[in-house]
C-alpha cells in the first residue's frame, strides 16, 4: 500500500476538517451533510485527494466520503478494514449506479407538504381526530422509557436512534410529545422551526386517534405561528406510514435517502 493510502486511528480530527475544506474547494462528490460528524471520526482512509472516514453512532459504524465519483468511492471502500459499515446518501435517482461493494438495505422517501395549513380546513379527513386534551410534553424522567420504545420499534442503522442522554436533550428542546395509559403508548418526536416542521419519529401502540390528535395539536401551534412546510422521511416499504402521512397532504417530493451496508470480512 502506498504512503498516501493511510489509516488513522483516534486521530486529531483537525486532519479531517482540513481535508473537508480542501474537498469543498475541489467540489468533490460527498454524502457529508453535517460537518460536525467529523468530530466523532475514528478511522480515515485516503487515496490521493479522495478520502473516506468512519464514525461510531450508537454502536454501529457509518461512512462519510469525499471523492470524484462513485468509481472513486469504490476504490476507497477497498481500503476499508474488517467490519460492518453503513453509508447513506441523498439522491433524486434511486436507481443510480453506486459502488459495487455496497448492499442496499433501505430506501427512504422524503414526503412533504409545502403548506400544511390546509390540514385544518373543515373538509380535512383528519380533523375528526382533533382533541386538545390529548398528549403531554415529555419530561426528562421519561427519557429511558421513551428510548426503550423507540429502540424496540426502529432499526438504528436506518432511523439514527439516540442514547438516553441525547433523548433527554431532545426533551429539553421540547421535541417530544407523548401519551400514556399506565405506560407510554404513543410518541411524536418533531423538530419544529419557524419555517419547517420535521416529523422525526412516530410511534403509536394505542388507538389511531391518539397519535393523530398529538400531531394535530403540535401542527396547530406551528401553523398559528405562521409555519407551513411539513416533511418526513419514510421507508418506501412502510405502507402504513406512507398512508398516515398522506392524510396530512404529504407526498413524495422526488428526494430519496439511500442506505447501504458494507460488510468487509478481511
Amino acid at each position: 500500500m502506498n504512503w498516501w493510502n493511510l489509516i488513522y486511528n483516534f486521530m486529531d480530527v483537525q486532519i479531517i476538517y482540513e481535508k473537508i475544506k480542501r474537498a469543498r474547494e475541489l467540489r468533490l462528490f460527498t454524502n457529508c451533510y453535517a460537518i460536525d460528524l467529523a468530530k466523532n471520526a475514528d478511522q480515515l482512509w485516503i487515496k490521493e485527494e479522495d478520502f473516506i472516514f468512519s464514525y461510531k453512532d450508537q454502536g454501529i459504524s457509518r461512512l462519510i466520503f469525499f471523492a470524484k465519483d462513485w468509481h472513486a468511492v469504490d476504490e476507497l471502500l477497498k481500503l476499508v478494514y474488517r467490519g460492518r459499515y453503513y453509508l447513506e446518501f441523498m439522491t433524486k435517482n434511486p436507481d443510480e449506479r453506486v459502488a459495487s461493494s455496497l448492499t442496499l438495505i433501505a430506501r427512504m422517501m422524503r414526503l412533504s407538504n409545502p403548506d400544511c395549513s390546509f390540514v385544518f380546513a373543515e373538509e380535512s379527513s383528519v380533523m375528526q381526530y382533533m382533541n386538545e386534551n390529548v398528549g403531554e410534553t415529555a419530561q426528562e424522567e421519561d427519557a429511558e422509557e421513551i428510548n426503550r420504545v423507540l429502540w424496540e420499534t426502529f432499526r438504528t442503522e436506518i432511523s439514527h436512534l439516540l442514547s438516553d442522554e441525547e433523548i433527554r436533550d431532545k426533551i429539553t428542546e421540547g421535541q417530544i410529545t407523548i401519551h400514556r395509559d399506565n405506560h407510554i403508548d404513543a410518541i411524536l418526536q418533531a423538530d419544529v422551526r419557524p419555517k419547517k416542521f420535521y416529523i422525526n419519529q412516530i410511534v403509536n401502540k394505542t388507538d389511531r386517534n391518539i397519535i393523530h390528535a398529538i400531531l394535530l395539536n403540535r401542527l396547530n401551534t406551528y401553523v398559528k405561528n405562521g409555519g407551513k412546510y411539513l416533511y418526513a422521511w419514510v421507508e418506501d416499504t412502510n405502507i402504513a406510514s406512507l398512508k398516515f402521512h398522506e392524510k396530512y397532504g404529504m407526498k413524495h417530493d422526488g428526494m430519496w435517502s439511500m442506505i447501504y451496508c458494507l460488510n468487509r470480512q478481511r
Side-chain angles (χ1 to χ4, degrees), residues 1-7 44-48 79 81:
M1 183 179 294
N2 294 325
W3 67 268
W4 56 83
N5 297 338
L6 301 177
I7 176 171
L44 169 66
W45 298 270
I46 303 171
K47 188 170 185 179
E48 299 175 349
L79 307 176
Y81 287 3

Side-chain angles (χ1 to χ4, degrees), residues 20-204:
I20 290 175
K21 180 180 179 181
R22 174 60 177 164
R24 287 177 168 177
E25 292 172 354
L26 295 173
R27 297 185 178 181
L28 293 181
F29 174 45
T30 184
N31 66 335
C32 185
Y33 309 117
I35 192 171
D36 283 350
L37 295 177
K39 69 183 180 183
N40 297 319
D42 60 356
Q43 297 181 96
L44 169 66
W45 298 270
I46 303 171
K47 188 170 185 179
E48 299 175 349
E49 294 287 359
D50 303 326
F51 66 98
I52 189 168
F53 68 87
S54 66
Y55 70 95
K56 287 292 191 293
D57 180 19
Q58 298 306 315
I60 67 172
S61 293
R62 299 190 187 275
L63 292 171
I64 300 293
F65 64 80
F66 286 83
K68 292 181 286 295
D69 50 32
W70 276 117
H71 174 72
V73 174
D74 215 0
E75 291 300 305
L76 285 168
L77 291 173
K78 293 176 181 178
L79 307 176
V80 177
Y81 287 3
R82 177 180 298 174
R84 184 183 295 270
Y85 302 84
Y86 295 91
L87 184 152
E88 184 173 358
F89 74 97
M90 289 187 284
T91 180
K92 291 186 177 180
N93 178 14
D95 299 316
E96 182 176 1
R97 183 186 294 273
V98 300
S100 59
S101 53
L102 296 173
T103 301
L104 180 67
I105 63 168
R107 308 194 320 167
M108 308 294 288
M109 305 168 66
R110 189 173 67 189
L111 308 179
S112 63
N113 181 346
D115 187 357
C116 65
S117 63
F118 291 106
V119 168
F120 298 96
E122 290 184 6
E123 63 273 17
S124 171
S125 63
V126 294
M127 283 303 291
Q128 63 182 303
Y129 303 115
M130 190 73 185
N131 186 339
E132 296 179 356
N133 298 317
V134 173
E136 60 184 88
T137 300
Q139 303 300 312
E140 288 190 40
E141 56 265 29
D142 299 318
E144 291 184 6
E145 184 179 359
I146 289 170
N147 215 20
R148 183 171 66 251
V149 173
L150 292 175
W151 278 83
E152 290 172 350
T153 305
F154 301 108
R155 296 170 57 188
T156 189
E157 61 266 34
I158 296 174
S159 300
H160 294 269
L161 298 177
L162 305 175
S163 67
D164 288 350
E165 189 59 38
E166 288 169 324
I167 285 292
R168 287 189 187 90
D169 291 341
K170 301 303 179 185
I171 290 173
T172 301
E173 294 169 12
Q175 286 195 17
I176 302 179
T177 308
I178 60 174
H179 176 270
R180 72 174 86 234
D181 184 4
N182 294 323
H183 57 84
I184 294 172
D185 54 17
I187 300 169
L188 169 65
Q189 181 183 351
D191 186 359
V192 184
R193 309 296 174 89
K195 294 186 178 180
K196 63 180 181 181
F197 188 116
Y198 171 43
I199 301 175
N200 191 332
Q201 306 282 16
I202 284 182
V203 177
N204 192 55

